[in-house]
C-alpha cells in the first residue's frame, strides 16, 4: 500500500492493551508456574499446507514441549456484544518420552453436573416419542440399537452420580456423550460441552506412567482427541474450517509418530490414521462447500491407495463430486471401466436423471428392480415418475417401500411431497406416515434388542462402582436384504427447568455432518449385506457412499435424517387449536415449496419448477380423487388477481415499482440512519480483534482473520453469497537464520546486524510477530564493497557516476522515501547501476526521532523499527507475478518463470533499522567522496557521511528464503443484491493481510469496513434493498503486489468491464487528521457527502475544510487494490483516508496500541471515515441517477493534456523532437462538450420527475437506466483492450497507470509519458494518436442512442 505522508506529526493519550481470555481447567490440575521466562522470537508460520497430513514432502517438526496451559480461547458469549479476537490454534507439539512423571490427574472438574446441558425436547416429533421406561439402562445395548439420546443421558448420569470412576472410564463416558450428541443432530450442544476439557494438547493430559496404543503418553484416546478437536473448532469458529486446520495439525503429529515408530504394527497404525485424517479433511471440505478442493484431495489419495477396493470407492467419490459441480463428462470419465455399478447400469441411470432424461431413466430403473440395487432402483424410479407426471404409480411404489420397512429420509420426504401434490388430506396422510415409520422402528428395535440381550447377558455385568462395563464389539446378524431401523428416543429424561443452551436441530437448508459422524461410534456399527444407504442432499458423503458401497448402511446418518424428515412433514400435536388456522396459508405455498424441495441427490440437474408446472395437466389422469370446486375457485381468483396486476403493469402506473420495493425508505432518512449508526466503539473493537496476531498473506493467522473475523462478520450481517475466493500464487517467506548483513572485511571492523525488531509487546502477551524481510525479494548470497546511494533514485546513481564512484559489484545501502518513494525501484535502480545487493534502511530524518518522539513515547519509528514491504515491480506487473494477465486459479496450469521475470528483482535485498544501518554508514568514513550536500545526508546520529567506493569495507548480504510458487490466498466476498439493476455492482474493498499486526495498514480500514457492513446488514434486515448491487470484498495478498484484488479482476474481467459501476477503496484509513481522496470523477458526489460529516476536531464540515484548503482529487497511481479495477477493468475507482505524519509503517509497532495512543485515540476519525464511506456507498448504489460527474473528469483530462505539452516543451533535450498533440487536444475538447450535453439529460430527467410529482413513466425509466449504463461504461471505453502500454501490456487504461519509475504516483497518459521519458519520440507520437482515437470514440459513445 502507499507509503505514509511524512509532512505532519501528532500525539495522543495512552491506553492499555487487552489480553485474550482463555478457558483453562481448574487450578489443581495445572502445576504451579514459576517466573515467566522470556519468549524466544517466533516467526510466522509459512504455507498452510506445510502440515498437510498427506503431503508428499516431510514437514518440519519441533521437539519442544507445549507451553503450560496454552488453552483454547473462550468463544464469545451471547451477552458480549463485542468479543475479543480468538487466536489461531497452535500446531500440535511433539512431546518427548523423557518427560518427568506427572502427578495423578484430578478429573473431578469433568464430573460437575453444570458441565452438561439438557437436551431440547422439542425437536422430537410426537409419533417418535417414548417414555423413559422404554429404554434399557445397558449403555452398550443402547448404542447397538442406535438409541443415542438415551445413551447420552445415561453417560451423563453415570459421570455425575457414580461415587468413583477410573480416568479411562471417565473419558470413555465423555466420548460416548459427545459422540451420541453429534450423531443425533445436537452437534452444537456437543461442541459446547467439549470445551470442558480445555486444551487437549496441554501437558496435563500427558503422562509417562501410561503409554497408550497411540504410541505416546496422552491419557486421551486418539478417537476422543479427534472428536474433541473437531467439536472445539466448531464451538470456537462455528464452521468446518477449524476442523480442517485441526486435522492438518494432527496430521503433522501422526507423521512424526510414524517416523519414530519401529514396530511394523505401530507404523501400520499411524499410516491408517493418516489416511483417516485425509478422508476427514475431504469430508470437511465437502461440508464447507469446497467441492473442487475435496475432489482434488480424493484424487491425490487414489495413487496412494493400496487396495483396489479403496481405489474404486475413491473414484466413485470423485465422480459424484464431478456431478455435484455439473461436470457430467468428467464424472463419466472417472466411472468408465472403474466401477461395478457402471457396468450394472446404476450410474447410467443416475446420469440420465442428471441430464434430465427422465423417460430413459424410468426404463433403466425398471430393469434394475429386484436385483442387487432393488431399493436404490425403486426409490429413484419413483422420483423419475414424479417428474414425468405419474404420481399415482410413484405413490404406490414409495408406500410399498414404507410398508416393507425400508424407510429413510429421502423416501419419506418425497412421499410427503407427493401427498401435498395429490390430495387435500395431505396433513392427515403425513401424520399416518409418521406413525407407520415410528411403529416399524420400534418393532425393529424390539427384535434387535431381544437378540442382543440374549447374546450379551453373560458379557455385561455391573462393576464395583455400580456402573456398566463396556462390552466387546458385537457380532452382526448376517441376514440378507435386511434394512435396520433406528428408533428416535424420548427427551423427557433430559428435560429440566433450566433453559436449553442451544437450538440444536438442523433446518432443511442446513448442511449436516453425516460424513464426519460415520466414524464416531465404530464399535457398535452394524453392516448388512446387500443393504441400501439412500442418498440425500443434506450430506455429500452419504450420496457418495450410496454409489461407493453397495452394502453399507449407516444407522447414525439416518437417525438425524429421520428427525428432519418428520419435522418437514409438519406433523401436528393432536388438538392443536392453531393448526386449522394455519392450514390454508400453508397450502397456498405447498405446491411450489414441495416441487422445489423434492429430495434428490442430483436435483440441480433435473428439470426446473417451470418444467414440472408445464407437466401438471398430464398428471390429472392419474389422480384418484374428485375435483374440489372450492380449490378450483381459489385458483381462478388467483389468476384473476394476477391478470389485474398485469393490466396495471403494462399501463406504466407501476413503472419503477421495483425500485420503490427495494427502497421504501425516505432517502434522507436512510442517510441519517446510516450516518448515525456508525459507532466508534464498534470500530475500536473490530481493530482490536484484527490486530491480536500477525497475519501475512498465506499464513495461518491471515486465514484465521479472514474466516473467523471478516467472513463471520459478513455472515452475521446477513450478506448474500458470502464465501472465500481462493487463488494459488507465488509468495516468499523469511527463513529462520536465512538472512544476514555483516561486515566481513577488514577483520577489525567485523560486525553483524541484529536485523530483527525487538518484541513490540511484552513477552507475557505471547503476541507472535513476523521476521524482517522484503516480499518478492530475490534469494541470494552476495558480498561486495559497501556504497551509500542516498534515496536510490536513478538521479542518485547518476550523481555517483558523475563523481567517479563505480557501483558495479557493490552492495548498495539506501534510505527509504525521498526522491524515489518506491522501494522496488530503489532495488531496480541499484541493479541497473551494477550492484549485486541492496540494503534499504529507515532513516530517522524521514520517520524517526528527528520528526518527533519515537514509539512507545511518540508516534514515530523507534531505532529498531524496520519497514518491511514488497519489492515486486508493481509498475510492470501487478498481481501474481507468475500469472500476469490471467487469474491464478487453483489448478491453473500456465505459469511464467521466476527467472528474468519483469515483476521480480534480480538482486537480493533486505530492510534494516537505523540501529543497524548506523554501523554500516560509520564504516564508510574515509572511503569514496565526502558528502557535503545536506539533502544527500540522512539523520542517523554519529555518522560522517561518505559515499564509499570499491575499497570500502566488504559486506556480506544473505537472503535465503522459503518460496512457494502456488500458495493459497483467500479473498472474502459478500453481497447485497439490488432490485432495479441487480447485475450492476458498486464494489467496496479493503485488504486484510498485513506485514505484522497491521494497526493502521490495513487494520484501520478493515475495522471501518466491518462496521459499515454491520450497518448495511441492519438496513437489509429492515427490508431495504439498493437499486444496484453492493459487493463487499476483503482482499488478500495486497501487501505483496495487490494480488488478491488483481486475481479477482482477472478471473471475472469481462463481467466487471460490463457490470461494475464503481470501486470504492479504503486501505490505510486513519493515521492523522487530513482527509485525502483520489478519483476526480467522484468529486461532486464526495463533496456532497463531506457536507454531511462534521470535522471531529471542529465545528465545520469536512467539505468546508476541504474547500478552505483548496484540496482537489488527483488521479490514482498505484499502491493499493484500486489498480486492477481502474487500469485493467476500466472501473471508475476512488481511494480515500485521513492521513498524518509518519508512523511505524510496515513494522510490528504499527499495532493496536499505536492507534489507541497516537493514531486516533478516540476513534472519531475512524467514525468520520466510516460515515463518509457508508454515505458514498448509499449514493452510488441507490441514487436513481448514478452520481459520477463526467464534466469534472473532462476538465481534468484537459489539464493532463496541457501538462503533457508543457513537459515536452521543458525537456532537457536541447532540441526535443516535435510531438503533435493536436489530435489529443481536440479529443479532450470534444469530451468536454459531450460531457456537458450528456449531463444536461440528467438535469432534464430531474425536472421531469419533479414536475410529475415523483412519477416516472416506463419510457423515462428505461432512458434513465440506459443513461446510467453509458455513464459507467465511459471509463471502460478508455481501455486499449487489444493492446496496452508498450512493455507492460497488462495495463490497459490510456489515461491512468502507475508511473514507470514511481509506482505510487499516477502517470497521466502513461503510454505517452513512458515514451517521452525514454526519449523514444516516434513511439510517443504513436501513443498520442492512439490515446486521441480511444478518447474521441469514448466521448462519442456518450451521445449515441
Amino acid at each position: 500500500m502507499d507509503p505514509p505522508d511524512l509532512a505532519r506529526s501528532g500525539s495522543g493519550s495512552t491506553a492499555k492493551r487487552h489480553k485474550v481470555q482463555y478457558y483453562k481447567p481448574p487450578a489443581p490440575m495445572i502445576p504451579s508456574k514459576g517466573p515467566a521466562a522470556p519468549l524466544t522470537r517466533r516467526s510466522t508460520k509459512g504455507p498452510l499446507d506445510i502440515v498437510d497430513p498427506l503431503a508428499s514432502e516431510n514437514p518440519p517438526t519441533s521437539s519442544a514441549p507445549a507451553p503450560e496451559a496454552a488453552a483454547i480461547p473462550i468463544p464469545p458469549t451471547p451477552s458480549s456484544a463485542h468479543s475479543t479476537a480468538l487466536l489461531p490454534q497452535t500446531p500440535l507439539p511433539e512431546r518427548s518420552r523423557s518427560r518427568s512423571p506427572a502427578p495423578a490427574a484430578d478429573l473431578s472438574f469433568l464430573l460437575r453436573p453444570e458441565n452438561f446441558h439438557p437436551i431440547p425436547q422439542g425437536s422430537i416429533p410426537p409419533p417418535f416419542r417414548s417414555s423413559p421406561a422404554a429404554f434399557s439402562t445397558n449403555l452398550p445395548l443402547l448404542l447397538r440399537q442406535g438409541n443415542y439420546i438415551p445413551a447420552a443421558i445415561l453417560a451423563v448420569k453415570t459421570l455425575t452420580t457414580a461415587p468413583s470412576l477410573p480416568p479411562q472410564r471417565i473419558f470413555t463416558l465423555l466420548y460416548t456423550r459427545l459422540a451420541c450428541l453429534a450423531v443425533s443432530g445436537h452437534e452444537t450442544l456437543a461442541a459446547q460441552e467439549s470445551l470442558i476439557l480445555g486444551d487437549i494438547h496441554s501437558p496435563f493430559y500427558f503422562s509417562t506412567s501410561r503409554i497408550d496404543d497411540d504410541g505416546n503418553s496422552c491419557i486421551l484416546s486418539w478417537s476422543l482427541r479427534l472428536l474433541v478437536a473437531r467439536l472445539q473448532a466448531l464451538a470456537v469458529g462455528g464452521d468446518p474450517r477449524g476442523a480442517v486446520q485441526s486435522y492438518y495439525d494432527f496430521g503433522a503429529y501422526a507423521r512424526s509418530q510414524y517416523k519414530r515408530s519401529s514396530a511394523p504394527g505401530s507404523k501400520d497404525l499411524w499410516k491408517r490414521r493418516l489416511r483417516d485424517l485425509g478422508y476427514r479433511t475431504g469430508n470437511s471440505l465437502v461440508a464447507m462447500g469446497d467441492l473442487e478442493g475435496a475432489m482434488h484431495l480424493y484424487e491425490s489419495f487414489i495413487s496412494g491407495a493400496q487396495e483396489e477396493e479403496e481405489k474404486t470407492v475413491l473414484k466413485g467419490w470423485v465422480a459424484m463430486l464431478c456431478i455435484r459441480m455439473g461436470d457430467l463428462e468428467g464424472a463419466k470419465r472417472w466411472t468408465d471401466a472403474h466401477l461395478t455399478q457402471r457396468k450394472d447400469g446404476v450410474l447410467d441411470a443416475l446420469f440420465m436423471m442428471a441430464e434430465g432424461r427422465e423417460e430413459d431413466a424410468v426404463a433403466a430403473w425398471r430393469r434394475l428392480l429386484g436385483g442387487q440395487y432393488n431399493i436404490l432402483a425403486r426409490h429413484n424410479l419413483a422420483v423419475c415418475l414424479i417428474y414425468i407426471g405419474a404420481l399415482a404409480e410413484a405413490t404406490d411404489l414409495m408406500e410399498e417401500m414404507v410398508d416393507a420397512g425400508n424407510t429413510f429420509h429421502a423416501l419419506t420426504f418425497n412421499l410427503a411431497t407427493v401427498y401435498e401434490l395429490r390430495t387435500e388430506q395431505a396433513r392427515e396422510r403425513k401424520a399416518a406416515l409418521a406413525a407407520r415409520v415410528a411403529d416399524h422402528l420400534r418393532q425393529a428395535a424390539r427384535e434387535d434388542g431381544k437378540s442382543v440381550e440374549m447374546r450379551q447377558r453373560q458379557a455385561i455385568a455391573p462393576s464395583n462402582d455400580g456402573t456398566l462395563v463396556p462390552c466387546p464389539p458385537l457380532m452382526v446378524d448376517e441376514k440378507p436384504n435386511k434394512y435396520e431401523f433406528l428408533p428416535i428416543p424420548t427427551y423427557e429424561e433430559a428435560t429440566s427447568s433450566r433453559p436449553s443452551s442451544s437450538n440444536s436441530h438442523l433446518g432443511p437448508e442446513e448442511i449436516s455432518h453425516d460424513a464426519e459422524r460415520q466414524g464416531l461410534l465404530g464399535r457398535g456399527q452394524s453392516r448388512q449385506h446387500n443393504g441400501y444407504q439412500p442418498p440425500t442432499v443434506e450430506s455429500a458423503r452419504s450420496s457418495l457412499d450410496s454409489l461407493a458401497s453397495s452394502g453399507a448402511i449407516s444407522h447414525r446418518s439416518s437417525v438425524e435424517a429421520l428427525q428432519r424428515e418428520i419435522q418437514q412433514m409438519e406433523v401436528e400435536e393432536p388438538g392443536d387449536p392453531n393448526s386449522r388456522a394455519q392450514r390454508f396459508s400453508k397450502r397456498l405455498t405447498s405446491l411450489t415449496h414441495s416441487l422445489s424441495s423434492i429430495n434428490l441427490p442430483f436435483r440441480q440437474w433435473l428439470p426446473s419448477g417451470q418444467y414440472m408446472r408445464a407437466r401438471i395437466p398430464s398428471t390429472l389422469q392419474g389422480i384418484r380423487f374428485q375435483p374440489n370446486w372450492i380449490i378450483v375457485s381459489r385458483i381462478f381468483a388467483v389468476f384473476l388477481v394476477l391478470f389485474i396486476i398485469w393490466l396495471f403493469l403494462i399501463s406504466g402506473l407501476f413503472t419503477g415499482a421495483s425500485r420503490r420495493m427495494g427502497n421504501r425508505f425516505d432517502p434522507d432518512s436512510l442517510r441519517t440512519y446510516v450516518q448515525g449508526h456508525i459507532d466508534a466503539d464498534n470500530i475500536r473493537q473490530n481493530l482490536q480483534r484484527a490486530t491480536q496476531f500477525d497475519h501475512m498473506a498465506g499464513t495461518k493467522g491471515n486465514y484465521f482473520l479472514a474466516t473467523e473475523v471478516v467472513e463471520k462478520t459478513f455472515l452475521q450481517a446477513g450478506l448474500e453469497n458470502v464465501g472465500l475466493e481462493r487463488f494459488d500464487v507465488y509468495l516468499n517467506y523469511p527463513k529462520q537464520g536465512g538472512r544476514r548483513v555483516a561486515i566481513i572485511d577488514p577483520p577489525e571492523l567485523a560486525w553483524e546486524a541484529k536485523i530483527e525488531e525487538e518484541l513490540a509487546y511484552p513477552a507475557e502477551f505471547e503476541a507472535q510477530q513476523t521476521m524482517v524481510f522484503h516480499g518478492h525479494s530475490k534469494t541470494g548470497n552476495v558480498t561486495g564493497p559497501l556504497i551509500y546511494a542516498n534515496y536510490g533514485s536513478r538521479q542518485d546513481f547518476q550523481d555517483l557516476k558523475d563523481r567517479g564512484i563505480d557501483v558495479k559489484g557493490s552492495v548498495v545501502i539506501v534510505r527509504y522515501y525521498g526522491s524515489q518513494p518506491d522501494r522496488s525501484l530503489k532495488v531496480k535502480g541499484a541493479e541497473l547501476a551494477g550492484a549485486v545487493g541492496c540494503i534499504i534502511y529507515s532513516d530517522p530524518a524521514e520517520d524517526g526521532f528527528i520528526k518527533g518522539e519515537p514509539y512507545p513515547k511518540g508516534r514515530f519509528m523507534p531505532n529498531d523499527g524496520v519497514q518491511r514491504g514488497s519489492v515486486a515491480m508493481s509498475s510492470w506487473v501487478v498481481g501474481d507475478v507468475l500469472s500476469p494477465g490471467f487469474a491464478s486459479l487453483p489448478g491453473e496450469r500456465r505459469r511464467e518463470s521466476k527467472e528474468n521475470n519483469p515483476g521480480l528483482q534480480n538482486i537480493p535485498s533486505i530492510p534494516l533499522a537505523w540501529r543497524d544501518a548506523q554501523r554500516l554508514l560509520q564504516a564508510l568514513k574515509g572511503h569514496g567522496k565526502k558528502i557535503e550536500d545536506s539533502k544527500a545526508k540522512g539523520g542517523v546520529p554519529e555518522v560522517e557521511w561518505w559515499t564509499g567506493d570499491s575499497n570500502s569495507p566488504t559486506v556480506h548480504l544473505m537472503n535465503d528464503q522459503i518460496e512457494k510458487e502456488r500458495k493459497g490466498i483467500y479473498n472474502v466476498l459478500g453481497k447485497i443484491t439490488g432490485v432495479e439493476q441487480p447485475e450492476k455492482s458498486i464494489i467496496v474493498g479493503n485488504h486484510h493481510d498485513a506485514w505484522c499486526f497491521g494497526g493502521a495498514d490495513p487494520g484501520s480500514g478493515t475495522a471501518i469496513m466491518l462496521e459499515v457492513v454491520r450497518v448495511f446488514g441492519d438496513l437489509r434486515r429492515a427490508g431495504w434493498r439498493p437499486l444496484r448491487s453492493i459487493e463487499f470484498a476483503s482482499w488478500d495478498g495486497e501487501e505483496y503486489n495487490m494480488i488478491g484484488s488483481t486475481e479477482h479482476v482477472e478471473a471475472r474481467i469481462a463481467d466487471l468491464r460490463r457490470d461494475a459501476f464503481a470501486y470504492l477503496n479504503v486501505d490505510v484509513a486513519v493515521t492523522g487528521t487530513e482527509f485525502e481522496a483520489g478519483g476526480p470523477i467522484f468529486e461532486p458526489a464526495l463533496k456532497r457527502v463531506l457536507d454531511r460529516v462534521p470535522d471531529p476536531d471542529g465545528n465545520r464540515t469536512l467539505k468546508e475544510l476541504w474547500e478552505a484548503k483548496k484540496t482537489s482529487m488527483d488521479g490514482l497511481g498505484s499502491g493499493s487494490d484500486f489498480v486492477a479495477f481502474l487500469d485493467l477493468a476500466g472501473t471508475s475507482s476512488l481511494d480515500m483516508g485521513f492521513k498524518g505524519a509518519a508512523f511505524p509503517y510496515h513494522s510490528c509497532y504499527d499495532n493496536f496500541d499505536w492507534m489507541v495512543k497516537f493514531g486516533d485515540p478516540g476513534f472519531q476519525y475512524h467514525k468520520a471515515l466510516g460515515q463518509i464511506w457508508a454515505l458514498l456507498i448509499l449514493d452510488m448504489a441507490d441514487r436513481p441517477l448514478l452520481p459520477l460527474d463526467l464534466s469534472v473528469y473532462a476538465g481534468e483530462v484537459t489539464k493532463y493534456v496541457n501538462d503533457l505539452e508543457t513537459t515536452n516543451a521543458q525537456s532537457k533535450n536541447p532540441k526535443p523532437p516535435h510531438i503533435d498533440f493536436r489530435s489529443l487536444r481536440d479529443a479532450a475538447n470534444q469530451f468536454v462538450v459531450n460531457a456537458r450535453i450528456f449531463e444536461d439529460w440528467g438535469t432534464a430527467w430531474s425536472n421531469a420527475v419533479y414536475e410529475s410529482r415523483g412519477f416516472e413513466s416506463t419510457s423515462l425509466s428505461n432512458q434513465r437506466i440506459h443513461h446510467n449504463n453509458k455513464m459507467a461504461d465511459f471509463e471502460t471505453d478508455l481501455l486499449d483492450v487489444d493492446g496496452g502500454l508498450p512493455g507492460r501490456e497488462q495495463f490497459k487504461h490510456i489515461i491512468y497507470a502507475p508511473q514507470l519509475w514511481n509506482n505510487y504516483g499516477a502517470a497521466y497518459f502513461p503510454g505517452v509519458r513512458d515514451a517521452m521519458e525514454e526519449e523514444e519520440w516516434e513511439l510517443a507520437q504513436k501513443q498520442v494518436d492512439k490515446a486521441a482515437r480511444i478518447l474521441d470514440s469514448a466521448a462519442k459513445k456518450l451521445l449515441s442512442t
Side-chain angles (χ1 to χ4, degrees), residues 448-615:
D448 188 58
K450 291 176 182 177
S451 174
V452 174
E453 289 277 11
M454 292 177 61
R455 295 202 311 245
Q456 286 196 319
R457 192 164 296 161
Q458 302 300 321
I460 303 177
S463 62
N464 294 333
D465 59 7
T467 61
L468 295 172
V469 177
C471 298
L474 300 172
M475 300 300 293
V476 181
D477 289 336
E478 300 295 333
K479 298 178 182 179
N481 297 310
K482 180 177 181 295
Y483 189 95
E484 292 206 359
F485 312 103
L486 302 179
I488 299 182
T490 182
Y491 280 92
E492 295 169 2
E493 187 172 350
T495 305
S496 71
S497 59
R498 289 190 295 149
S500 170
S501 65
S502 66
N503 184 9
S504 61
H505 67 278
L506 297 176
E509 299 301 321
E510 295 181 19
I511 299 175
S512 73
H513 297 279
D514 296 342
E516 286 297 317
R517 295 177 186 135
Q518 290 179 8
L520 295 179
L521 294 169
R523 292 186 178 275
Q525 187 169 352
S526 172
R527 298 287 180 188
Q528 303 292 341
H529 291 298
N530 301 322
Y532 167 55
Q533 180 176 334
T536 64
V537 294
E538 282 77 7
S539 171
R541 176 65 179 273
S542 62
S543 295
L544 302 178
D545 286 345
S546 67
L547 269 180
S549 175
S550 62
I553 303 174
S554 171
H555 287 241
R556 290 167 295 286
S557 61
S558 60
V559 172
E560 179 186 326
L562 281 170
Q563 286 184 349
R564 291 197 303 275
E565 157 193 32
I566 303 301
Q567 292 165 13
Q568 293 160 356
M569 286 161 48
E570 300 172 353
V571 176
E572 301 170 358
E573 292 277 10
D576 184 354
N578 298 321
S579 61
R580 293 189 178 274
Q582 298 170 353
R583 185 173 301 178
F584 177 72
S585 63
K586 289 184 178 179
R587 281 187 187 143
L588 285 177
T589 60
S590 64
L591 179 63
T592 56
H593 174 76
S594 298
L595 287 175
S596 65
S597 301
I598 292 289
N599 202 332
L600 301 173
F602 318 109
R603 182 167 61 84
Q604 57 267 49
W605 300 284
L606 294 179
S608 63
Q610 286 84 354
Y611 177 91
M612 274 298 300
R613 286 190 284 275
R615 295 295 186 95

Side-chain angles (χ1 to χ4, degrees), residues 24 30-34 66-71 202-203 766:
K24 295 184 180 180
I30 300 296
S32 60
K33 296 181 68 174
E68 253 178 294
S202 167
E766 301 182 1

Side-chain angles (χ1 to χ4, degrees), residues 696-707:
M696 281 197 306
T699 63
K700 293 182 180 181
N702 202 43
Y703 182 78
F704 184 88
L705 176 62
T707 56

